[in-house]
Amino acid sequence: MTPVPTPATLEIVLPAEEYLPGREIIATIRLRNTGDRPLWMNRRMLLNSRHAPAPFRELSLEIRGPGGRAVDFNCKVRAGHPQPKNYALVAARSAIEQRVDLTGCFDLSDAGAYQLVAHYCDGNETPPAPPGGSVPLVGEVVSDPARI
């Protein structure tokens, strides 16, 4: 049996396309339930390195700087396993958001263009069972590239 893709999209929303050096850059990562049924998911949406063990991150950002240079995640994140209280329903055609300070965890000091791609994946191997009538969010959801 072929798995059915989860009806979700991930989007990076930036308040501007250009920023002055040294200025804070806040991105909003929006996960939208595009389906007709409630989506059961880990709403913690913890940002961490793509190299962190899967249970200790839901969100990660892949950033390429000027010349295609990879920009590393520089924050130290103290995270435990997700808890049952982190799981909730996202109504059909609704979205949840997480604000991320890009300048706090990534060195964006080089002048030039940056490309960002967001990844969401719940790495919890034993999430709580979804309520009846809902669809669990499984697998990875990847955004289209955003540019600043």
Side-chain angles (χ1 to χ4, degrees), residues 111-124:
Y114 290 80
Q115 177 176 288
L116 296 76
V117 176
H119 299 259
Y120 174 93
C121 187
D122 181 11
N124 187 356

Side-chain angles (χ1 to χ4, degrees), residues 20 46 58 68-69 71 81-82 121:
L20 296 174
L46 177 67
E58 288 82 52
R69 172 186 63 83
V71 179
H81 288 274
C121 187

Side-chain angles (χ1 to χ4, degrees), residues 26-114:
I26 302 293
T28 300
I29 312 299
R30 181 177 297 142
L31 193 144
R32 180 171 304 282
N33 176 0
T34 59
D36 296 325
R37 294 170 47 196
L39 189 60
W40 180 246
M41 65 170 289
N42 181 344
R43 293 176 57 126
R44 178 172 72 164
M45 293 183 71
L46 177 67
L47 177 69
N48 206 341
S49 167
R50 288 193 54 73
H51 305 293
F56 306 122
R57 65 174 153 78
E58 288 82 52
L59 286 177
S60 61
L61 290 171
E62 180 182 348
I63 300 180
R64 296 266 169 207
R69 172 186 63 83
V71 179
D72 293 329
F73 182 81
N74 295 326
C75 286
K76 299 286 185 210
V77 178
R78 291 179 53 125
H81 288 274
Q83 301 299 310
K85 68 180 181 182
N86 297 125
Y87 289 80
L89 293 170
V90 176
R93 309 284 181 211
S94 295
I96 61 168
E97 299 178 344
Q98 179 75 317
R99 291 172 47 91
V100 174
D101 177 3
L102 298 177
T103 48
C105 291
F106 298 93
D107 179 4
L108 305 178
S109 60
D110 290 344
Y114 290 80

